[in-house]
Amino acid sequence: MEDFESAIIDYDAAILITDDSDELYYDSLASRGASYYFLGDFTNAIADLTLVIDNVTVSVQSYAVRGESYYFQENWQLALADFNTVIELDNTNAGSFANRGLIHYYLGNQSSALEDWEEAFSLNPDISTSFRDGVQQLIRYELYPTALQRVNDIILLDAYNGVTRWQNNFYRAYIHLQLGNNLDAILDATLVIEDGGDEALSSMPEILLVRSEGYLNLGFLESGLEDANDYILLAPDDREGYAMRGNIHFADDNFELALS
């Protein structure tokens, strides 16, 4: 997060001292717009990228990033226009077709959405995994509302492809918890545990802590304690499990156990 904020300061300086007839001026605008995008500041990203698009040679990247910025603002028509341009300029990128299909879906254009998704999966059968990598990045930058939108998008894409992945619910459970949506976090975590079974618990045991914290926040202390205990059995060397159990004992006024 700090890297992008520092980058914006440097791009501000470059833009300030560069004449707008210089190519560097628009390169800096484009880079600053991308930095705003990664900070979740879609309004400023759109402003910078629009200046680039209006004044220099057409850039696929600028249209794509502006299109996604419109997308995350739920400005579907403008997002659609940008992705139409992106695909006209480069019809080999699976992500562009997947994004345009999602826009069509939210606009209610089901047949167009299916056509774009078919093309996306033909270009990259594993496009959902690429999108999931993006979710991890959004979580790392703590852009939780945007990450939630993206996880829901991935679930749509996987449903189209006839696939159900408990990993999607893992990410969504964690995001819901960060957003304070405790019941939704519990529901998604339960789906992970039930659908993923031993594979989920062995590869992502943290899902027990997610559900445990959701239970704690809602006052379901017994259920939260059970999940914390199960996590400690799976990861006895991780202090997070003990900390969670201590928090639950503390909330239950069991101070001696909390201190232990």
Side-chain angles (χ1 to χ4, degrees):
M1 195 72 90
E2 291 180 0
D3 290 342
F4 291 118
E5 290 170 349
S6 298
I8 287 170
I9 292 171
D10 285 338
Y11 293 132
D12 285 345
I15 291 164
L16 185 64
I17 62 175
T18 307
D19 189 89
D20 63 6
S21 62
D22 192 316
E23 186 177 340
L24 177 62
Y25 179 85
Y26 292 103
D27 287 345
S28 298
L29 271 176
S31 297
R32 189 176 70 176
S35 297
Y36 279 129
Y37 168 86
F38 284 114
L39 286 172
D41 185 348
F42 301 121
T43 298
N44 276 319
I46 290 166
D48 278 353
L49 294 167
T50 298
L51 282 171
V52 174
I53 289 167
D54 289 347
N55 288 279
V56 299
T57 305
V58 172
S59 165
V60 173
Q61 184 68 15
S62 293
Y63 273 106
V65 176
R66 190 177 71 170
E68 286 199 17
S69 298
Y70 283 134
Y71 179 89
F72 288 124
Q73 289 187 331
E74 298 185 8
N75 197 332
W76 307 124
Q77 293 292 352
L78 290 176
L80 179 61
D82 274 355
F83 275 105
N84 283 339
T85 301
V86 170
I87 290 169
E88 286 174 12
L89 296 169
D90 178 9
N91 64 359
T92 64
N93 188 289
S96 298
F97 282 100
N99 276 315
R100 192 173 71 175
L102 288 163
I103 296 165
H104 279 306
Y105 175 86
Y106 291 121
L107 284 170
N109 305 329
Q110 302 297 319
S111 60
S112 296
L114 295 177
E115 288 175 10
D116 276 344
W117 290 342
E118 181 178 2
E119 184 65 23
F121 280 102
S122 70
L123 290 167
N124 180 4
D126 207 23
I127 184 63
S128 295
T129 298
S130 300
F131 274 44
R132 241 185 322 274
D133 292 341
V135 168
Q136 292 175 2
Q137 188 176 37
L138 291 167
I139 290 173
R140 189 161 61 249
Y141 298 147
E142 298 181 2
L143 300 176
Y144 298 119
T146 307
L148 180 60
Q149 172 68 58
R150 216 28 150 184
V151 172
N152 287 332
D153 293 343
I154 294 166
I155 290 171
L156 273 175
L157 291 172
D158 279 346
Y160 164 79
N161 205 30
V163 176
T164 301
R165 303 177 198 262
W166 56 262
Q167 291 90 341
N168 295 330
N169 296 98
F170 173 88
Y171 290 120
R172 194 166 68 176
Y174 177 80
I175 295 164
H176 274 311
L177 188 66
Q178 304 312 308
L179 290 171
N181 305 330
N182 293 294
L183 182 56
D184 288 326
I186 291 167
L187 292 173
D188 271 325
T190 301
L191 281 172
V192 172
I193 294 165
E194 291 179 350
D195 293 349
D198 291 340
E199 180 188 0
L201 290 175
S202 62
S203 62
M204 294 180 170
E206 299 87 354
I207 195 61
L208 288 166
L209 289 184
V210 171
R211 191 169 70 171
S212 181
E213 187 171 346
Y215 281 136
L216 170 61
N217 292 340
L218 291 177
F220 302 135
L221 302 184
E222 185 175 345
S223 296
L225 182 60
E226 183 179 344
D227 277 350
N229 285 332
D230 286 344
Y231 180 77
I232 290 169
L233 288 174
L234 290 170
D237 297 326
D238 186 0
R239 62 185 181 181
E240 294 295 330
Y242 300 100
M244 178 61 67
R245 189 166 67 182
N247 290 339
I248 295 167
H249 285 314
F250 191 86
D252 200 26
D253 295 334
N254 202 334
F255 301 121
E256 290 185 6
L257 284 174
L259 292 172
S260 67

